[in-house]
Amino acid sequence: MTWPLGVIAHHGNILLRRRAQQGLLAGLWEVPGGKQESDETARQVLVRQFASSRGLLNRMKLVGEARHSITRYKIRAPIFFSSAATRTIPGAGEWRWVPLSSVAQYPLTSLSIKAIRFVVSRLRISGAKR
């Protein structure tokens, strides 16, 4: 399965959202992303995630990829990155700007941890504790 992720940074903060309280990985925090259907591109997946903040998508660049397995799923996760001009939070649901120095205090999905580590190590985002 392909699951594109969008890592968004703003002045040493990363945008996270909380998963629904039921279902797989209930209540965990994650970087935005979603399952890519057979009739859509990775960017179209992110359009769904950031529907009210399309400006973020214009600046998103593909920076890498993570591989992950959970239960019976093998996941290929293209990682997109963008620096946000403002701290606007897209869409409904529980979203939060989290300082990179505090990310480890949040219960994150393993795939999100991989994506954040990748972006921090490759792009040298400031504010992160390693």
Side-chain angles (χ1 to χ4, degrees), residues 91-123:
E94 193 169 352
W95 295 77
R96 188 171 295 167
W97 286 102
V98 176
L100 276 167
S101 60
S102 300
V103 164
Q105 297 171 13
Y106 282 73
L108 289 167
T109 65
S110 297
L111 189 53
S112 292
I113 291 169
K114 288 179 181 180
I116 292 168
R117 285 182 178 159
F118 179 89
V119 167
V120 167
S121 68
R122 300 295 192 305
L123 302 180

mmCIF file of all heavy atoms in Angstrom, residues 91-123:
data_model
loop_
_atom_site.group_PDB
_atom_site.id
_atom_site.type_symbol
_atom_site.label_atom_id
_atom_site.label_comp_id
_atom_site.label_asym_id
_atom_site.label_seq_id
_atom_site.Cartn_x
_atom_site.Cartn_y
_atom_site.Cartn_z
ATOM 1 N N GLY A 91 -8.360 22.196 8.000
ATOM 2 C CA GLY A 91 -9.447 21.249 8.187
ATOM 3 C C GLY A 91 -9.977 21.089 9.588
ATOM 4 O O GLY A 91 -9.597 21.788 10.515
ATOM 5 N N ALA A 92 -10.861 20.134 9.710
ATOM 6 C CA ALA A 92 -11.481 19.831 10.990
ATOM 7 C C ALA A 92 -10.648 18.781 11.722
ATOM 8 O O ALA A 92 -9.712 18.225 11.177
ATOM 9 C CB ALA A 92 -12.892 19.316 10.752
ATOM 10 N N GLY A 93 -11.021 18.513 12.931
ATOM 11 C CA GLY A 93 -10.314 17.507 13.711
ATOM 12 C C GLY A 93 -9.302 18.148 14.634
ATOM 13 O O GLY A 93 -9.212 19.366 14.743
ATOM 14 N N GLU A 94 -8.547 17.302 15.286
ATOM 15 C CA GLU A 94 -7.584 17.798 16.266
ATOM 16 C C GLU A 94 -6.191 17.908 15.644
ATOM 17 O O GLU A 94 -5.540 16.909 15.363
ATOM 18 C CB GLU A 94 -7.557 16.880 17.485
ATOM 19 C CG GLU A 94 -6.839 17.507 18.644
ATOM 20 C CD GLU A 94 -7.024 16.749 19.941
ATOM 21 O OE1 GLU A 94 -7.832 15.813 19.993
ATOM 22 O OE2 GLU A 94 -6.339 17.116 20.903
ATOM 23 N N TRP A 95 -5.775 19.128 15.398
ATOM 24 C CA TRP A 95 -4.472 19.444 14.821
ATOM 25 C C TRP A 95 -3.695 20.260 15.836
ATOM 26 O O TRP A 95 -4.268 20.997 16.630
ATOM 27 C CB TRP A 95 -4.629 20.278 13.550
ATOM 28 C CG TRP A 95 -5.306 19.584 12.412
ATOM 29 C CD1 TRP A 95 -6.643 19.362 12.279
ATOM 30 C CD2 TRP A 95 -4.690 19.057 11.249
ATOM 31 N NE1 TRP A 95 -6.895 18.726 11.094
ATOM 32 C CE2 TRP A 95 -5.716 18.532 10.443
ATOM 33 C CE3 TRP A 95 -3.371 19.002 10.806
ATOM 34 C CZ2 TRP A 95 -5.463 17.935 9.220
ATOM 35 C CZ3 TRP A 95 -3.122 18.416 9.586
ATOM 36 C CH2 TRP A 95 -4.158 17.878 8.800
ATOM 37 N N ARG A 96 -2.370 20.176 15.791
ATOM 38 C CA ARG A 96 -1.553 20.939 16.722
ATOM 39 C C ARG A 96 -0.167 21.186 16.136
ATOM 40 O O ARG A 96 0.429 20.300 15.530
ATOM 41 C CB ARG A 96 -1.424 20.142 18.017
ATOM 42 C CG ARG A 96 -0.752 20.904 19.136
ATOM 43 C CD ARG A 96 -0.837 20.161 20.439
ATOM 44 N NE ARG A 96 -2.242 20.068 20.858
ATOM 45 C CZ ARG A 96 -2.676 19.281 21.821
ATOM 46 N NH1 ARG A 96 -1.838 18.502 22.458
ATOM 47 N NH2 ARG A 96 -3.951 19.260 22.141
ATOM 48 N N TRP A 97 0.332 22.404 16.327
ATOM 49 C CA TRP A 97 1.729 22.714 16.026
ATOM 50 C C TRP A 97 2.532 22.302 17.243
ATOM 51 O O TRP A 97 2.269 22.769 18.349
ATOM 52 C CB TRP A 97 1.922 24.201 15.748
ATOM 53 C CG TRP A 97 1.394 24.617 14.418
ATOM 54 C CD1 TRP A 97 0.222 25.264 14.159
ATOM 55 C CD2 TRP A 97 2.024 24.426 13.150
ATOM 56 N NE1 TRP A 97 0.080 25.478 12.818
ATOM 57 C CE2 TRP A 97 1.174 24.975 12.170
ATOM 58 C CE3 TRP A 97 3.216 23.835 12.751
ATOM 59 C CZ2 TRP A 97 1.488 24.965 10.820
ATOM 60 C CZ3 TRP A 97 3.527 23.814 11.393
ATOM 61 C CH2 TRP A 97 2.678 24.370 10.450
ATOM 62 N N VAL A 98 3.514 21.440 17.053
ATOM 63 C CA VAL A 98 4.302 20.903 18.159
ATOM 64 C C VAL A 98 5.766 21.277 17.951
ATOM 65 O O VAL A 98 6.328 21.012 16.884
ATOM 66 C CB VAL A 98 4.162 19.366 18.227
ATOM 67 C CG1 VAL A 98 5.041 18.782 19.310
ATOM 68 C CG2 VAL A 98 2.696 18.987 18.437
ATOM 69 N N PRO A 99 6.400 21.898 18.966
ATOM 70 C CA PRO A 99 7.833 22.186 18.842
ATOM 71 C C PRO A 99 8.604 20.885 18.628
ATOM 72 O O PRO A 99 8.313 19.866 19.275
ATOM 73 C CB PRO A 99 8.200 22.812 20.186
ATOM 74 C CG PRO A 99 6.906 23.277 20.770
ATOM 75 C CD PRO A 99 5.854 22.337 20.243
ATOM 76 N N LEU A 100 9.566 20.905 17.727
ATOM 77 C CA LEU A 100 10.360 19.700 17.477
ATOM 78 C C LEU A 100 10.985 19.169 18.759
ATOM 79 O O LEU A 100 11.119 17.969 18.938
ATOM 80 C CB LEU A 100 11.438 19.985 16.439
ATOM 81 C CG LEU A 100 10.956 19.882 15.005
ATOM 82 C CD1 LEU A 100 11.971 20.488 14.056
ATOM 83 C CD2 LEU A 100 10.663 18.457 14.634
ATOM 84 N N SER A 101 11.336 20.069 19.660
ATOM 85 C CA SER A 101 11.939 19.643 20.922
ATOM 86 C C SER A 101 10.953 18.899 21.815
ATOM 87 O O SER A 101 11.356 18.255 22.772
ATOM 88 C CB SER A 101 12.507 20.853 21.663
ATOM 89 O OG SER A 101 11.474 21.786 21.929
ATOM 90 N N SER A 102 9.651 18.941 21.511
ATOM 91 C CA SER A 102 8.622 18.280 22.323
ATOM 92 C C SER A 102 7.946 17.107 21.621
ATOM 93 O O SER A 102 7.087 16.453 22.215
ATOM 94 C CB SER A 102 7.538 19.290 22.714
ATOM 95 O OG SER A 102 8.087 20.344 23.454
ATOM 96 N N VAL A 103 8.302 16.841 20.387
ATOM 97 C CA VAL A 103 7.635 15.793 19.617
ATOM 98 C C VAL A 103 7.704 14.446 20.328
ATOM 99 O O VAL A 103 6.733 13.681 20.323
ATOM 100 C CB VAL A 103 8.220 15.712 18.187
ATOM 101 C CG1 VAL A 103 7.853 14.423 17.497
ATOM 102 C CG2 VAL A 103 7.741 16.892 17.367
ATOM 103 N N ALA A 104 8.812 14.139 20.985
ATOM 104 C CA ALA A 104 8.978 12.842 21.650
ATOM 105 C C ALA A 104 7.987 12.654 22.802
ATOM 106 O O ALA A 104 7.778 11.524 23.244
ATOM 107 C CB ALA A 104 10.409 12.702 22.160
ATOM 108 N N GLN A 105 7.365 13.708 23.259
ATOM 109 C CA GLN A 105 6.393 13.609 24.354
ATOM 110 C C GLN A 105 5.008 13.195 23.860
ATOM 111 O O GLN A 105 4.111 12.943 24.655
ATOM 112 C CB GLN A 105 6.305 14.938 25.094
ATOM 113 C CG GLN A 105 7.607 15.317 25.760
ATOM 114 C CD GLN A 105 7.572 16.735 26.303
ATOM 115 O OE1 GLN A 105 6.526 17.355 26.402
ATOM 116 N NE2 GLN A 105 8.745 17.239 26.633
ATOM 117 N N TYR A 106 4.818 13.145 22.551
ATOM 118 C CA TYR A 106 3.529 12.780 21.971
ATOM 119 C C TYR A 106 3.538 11.305 21.578
ATOM 120 O O TYR A 106 4.538 10.823 21.043
ATOM 121 C CB TYR A 106 3.241 13.630 20.729
ATOM 122 C CG TYR A 106 2.776 15.018 21.060
ATOM 123 C CD1 TYR A 106 3.655 15.966 21.553
ATOM 124 C CD2 TYR A 106 1.443 15.373 20.911
ATOM 125 C CE1 TYR A 106 3.221 17.247 21.884
ATOM 126 C CE2 TYR A 106 1.000 16.648 21.231
ATOM 127 C CZ TYR A 106 1.901 17.572 21.717
ATOM 128 O OH TYR A 106 1.466 18.822 22.049
ATOM 129 N N PRO A 107 2.428 10.601 21.793
ATOM 130 C CA PRO A 107 2.345 9.221 21.302
ATOM 131 C C PRO A 107 2.119 9.237 19.788
ATOM 132 O O PRO A 107 1.017 9.511 19.316
ATOM 133 C CB PRO A 107 1.138 8.646 22.052
ATOM 134 C CG PRO A 107 0.292 9.835 22.403
ATOM 135 C CD PRO A 107 1.244 10.992 22.551
ATOM 136 N N LEU A 108 3.199 9.035 19.050
ATOM 137 C CA LEU A 108 3.172 9.119 17.587
ATOM 138 C C LEU A 108 3.123 7.741 16.949
ATOM 139 O O LEU A 108 3.642 6.774 17.503
ATOM 140 C CB LEU A 108 4.439 9.814 17.073
ATOM 141 C CG LEU A 108 4.581 11.294 17.325
ATOM 142 C CD1 LEU A 108 5.996 11.737 17.040
ATOM 143 C CD2 LEU A 108 3.604 12.064 16.465
ATOM 144 N N THR A 109 2.555 7.687 15.742
ATOM 145 C CA THR A 109 2.637 6.459 14.968
ATOM 146 C C THR A 109 4.102 6.243 14.573
ATOM 147 O O THR A 109 4.861 7.202 14.397
ATOM 148 C CB THR A 109 1.769 6.536 13.699
ATOM 149 O OG1 THR A 109 2.291 7.553 12.841
ATOM 150 C CG2 THR A 109 0.304 6.813 14.027
ATOM 151 N N SER A 110 4.486 4.994 14.435
ATOM 152 C CA SER A 110 5.875 4.685 14.049
ATOM 153 C C SER A 110 6.227 5.266 12.688
ATOM 154 O O SER A 110 7.357 5.722 12.470
ATOM 155 C CB SER A 110 6.090 3.170 14.023
ATOM 156 O OG SER A 110 5.917 2.635 15.306
ATOM 157 N N LEU A 111 5.275 5.255 11.772
ATOM 158 C CA LEU A 111 5.531 5.811 10.447
ATOM 159 C C LEU A 111 5.789 7.316 10.528
ATOM 160 O O LEU A 111 6.661 7.845 9.839
ATOM 161 C CB LEU A 111 4.363 5.504 9.513
ATOM 162 C CG LEU A 111 4.557 5.838 8.041
ATOM 163 C CD1 LEU A 111 5.823 5.212 7.474
ATOM 164 C CD2 LEU A 111 3.341 5.385 7.240
ATOM 165 N N SER A 112 5.066 8.012 11.384
ATOM 166 C CA SER A 112 5.295 9.453 11.570
ATOM 167 C C SER A 112 6.676 9.715 12.165
ATOM 168 O O SER A 112 7.356 10.660 11.755
ATOM 169 C CB SER A 112 4.214 10.053 12.469
ATOM 170 O OG SER A 112 2.971 10.041 11.813
ATOM 171 N N ILE A 113 7.078 8.885 13.107
ATOM 172 C CA ILE A 113 8.418 9.034 13.693
ATOM 173 C C ILE A 113 9.473 8.898 12.598
ATOM 174 O O ILE A 113 10.412 9.694 12.514
ATOM 175 C CB ILE A 113 8.641 8.009 14.821
ATOM 176 C CG1 ILE A 113 7.745 8.349 16.024
ATOM 177 C CG2 ILE A 113 10.118 7.964 15.230
ATOM 178 C CD1 ILE A 113 7.691 7.261 17.076
ATOM 179 N N LYS A 114 9.317 7.899 11.734
ATOM 180 C CA LYS A 114 10.272 7.715 10.630
ATOM 181 C C LYS A 114 10.306 8.939 9.717
ATOM 182 O O LYS A 114 11.380 9.390 9.317
ATOM 183 C CB LYS A 114 9.897 6.486 9.803
ATOM 184 C CG LYS A 114 10.169 5.177 10.487
ATOM 185 C CD LYS A 114 9.739 4.011 9.607
ATOM 186 C CE LYS A 114 9.981 2.684 10.298
ATOM 187 N NZ LYS A 114 9.574 1.532 9.467
ATOM 188 N N ALA A 115 9.133 9.469 9.383
ATOM 189 C CA ALA A 115 9.066 10.628 8.483
ATOM 190 C C ALA A 115 9.710 11.861 9.115
ATOM 191 O O ALA A 115 10.475 12.579 8.460
ATOM 192 C CB ALA A 115 7.621 10.922 8.099
ATOM 193 N N ILE A 116 9.418 12.116 10.382
ATOM 194 C CA ILE A 116 9.987 13.287 11.061
ATOM 195 C C ILE A 116 11.499 13.148 11.171
ATOM 196 O O ILE A 116 12.244 14.091 10.879
ATOM 197 C CB ILE A 116 9.335 13.488 12.441
ATOM 198 C CG1 ILE A 116 7.868 13.910 12.267
ATOM 199 C CG2 ILE A 116 10.102 14.530 13.255
ATOM 200 C CD1 ILE A 116 7.051 13.870 13.548
ATOM 201 N N ARG A 117 11.971 11.978 11.559
ATOM 202 C CA ARG A 117 13.431 11.765 11.655
ATOM 203 C C ARG A 117 14.107 11.962 10.305
ATOM 204 O O ARG A 117 15.181 12.544 10.216
ATOM 205 C CB ARG A 117 13.735 10.377 12.204
ATOM 206 C CG ARG A 117 13.500 10.264 13.679
ATOM 207 C CD ARG A 117 13.864 8.906 14.190
ATOM 208 N NE ARG A 117 13.672 8.845 15.638
ATOM 209 C CZ ARG A 117 13.520 7.734 16.316
ATOM 210 N NH1 ARG A 117 13.549 6.564 15.700
ATOM 211 N NH2 ARG A 117 13.347 7.769 17.622
ATOM 212 N N PHE A 118 13.477 11.451 9.262
ATOM 213 C CA PHE A 118 14.038 11.604 7.917
ATOM 214 C C PHE A 118 14.165 13.085 7.569
ATOM 215 O O PHE A 118 15.223 13.545 7.133
ATOM 216 C CB PHE A 118 13.155 10.891 6.886
ATOM 217 C CG PHE A 118 13.666 11.030 5.487
ATOM 218 C CD1 PHE A 118 14.553 10.114 4.974
ATOM 219 C CD2 PHE A 118 13.281 12.099 4.686
ATOM 220 C CE1 PHE A 118 15.039 10.244 3.685
ATOM 221 C CE2 PHE A 118 13.764 12.240 3.405
ATOM 222 C CZ PHE A 118 14.646 11.311 2.901
ATOM 223 N N VAL A 119 13.097 13.837 7.745
ATOM 224 C CA VAL A 119 13.098 15.254 7.384
ATOM 225 C C VAL A 119 14.095 16.028 8.239
ATOM 226 O O VAL A 119 14.874 16.843 7.716
ATOM 227 C CB VAL A 119 11.672 15.850 7.503
ATOM 228 C CG1 VAL A 119 11.693 17.355 7.437
ATOM 229 C CG2 VAL A 119 10.784 15.283 6.406
ATOM 230 N N VAL A 120 14.112 15.786 9.536
ATOM 231 C CA VAL A 120 15.032 16.507 10.424
ATOM 232 C C VAL A 120 16.478 16.212 10.051
ATOM 233 O O VAL A 120 17.306 17.124 9.967
ATOM 234 C CB VAL A 120 14.747 16.161 11.904
ATOM 235 C CG1 VAL A 120 15.867 16.646 12.813
ATOM 236 C CG2 VAL A 120 13.423 16.760 12.342
ATOM 237 N N SER A 121 16.793 14.943 9.789
ATOM 238 C CA SER A 121 18.186 14.602 9.497
ATOM 239 C C SER A 121 18.633 15.071 8.110
ATOM 240 O O SER A 121 19.764 15.507 7.935
ATOM 241 C CB SER A 121 18.406 13.094 9.618
ATOM 242 O OG SER A 121 17.727 12.406 8.601
ATOM 243 N N ARG A 122 17.749 15.016 7.118
ATOM 244 C CA ARG A 122 18.129 15.389 5.757
ATOM 245 C C ARG A 122 18.071 16.889 5.511
ATOM 246 O O ARG A 122 18.867 17.427 4.770
ATOM 247 C CB ARG A 122 17.240 14.699 4.725
ATOM 248 C CG ARG A 122 17.260 13.196 4.727
ATOM 249 C CD ARG A 122 18.609 12.622 4.339
ATOM 250 N NE ARG A 122 18.674 11.218 4.060
ATOM 251 C CZ ARG A 122 18.294 10.218 4.830
ATOM 252 N NH1 ARG A 122 17.678 10.447 5.955
ATOM 253 N NH2 ARG A 122 18.490 8.963 4.485
ATOM 254 N N LEU A 123 17.089 17.542 6.105
ATOM 255 C CA LEU A 123 16.877 18.959 5.800
ATOM 256 C C LEU A 123 17.369 19.885 6.907
ATOM 257 O O LEU A 123 17.245 21.104 6.791
ATOM 258 C CB LEU A 123 15.391 19.209 5.520
ATOM 259 C CG LEU A 123 14.811 18.392 4.379
ATOM 260 C CD1 LEU A 123 13.337 18.704 4.186
ATOM 261 C CD2 LEU A 123 15.568 18.622 3.083
#
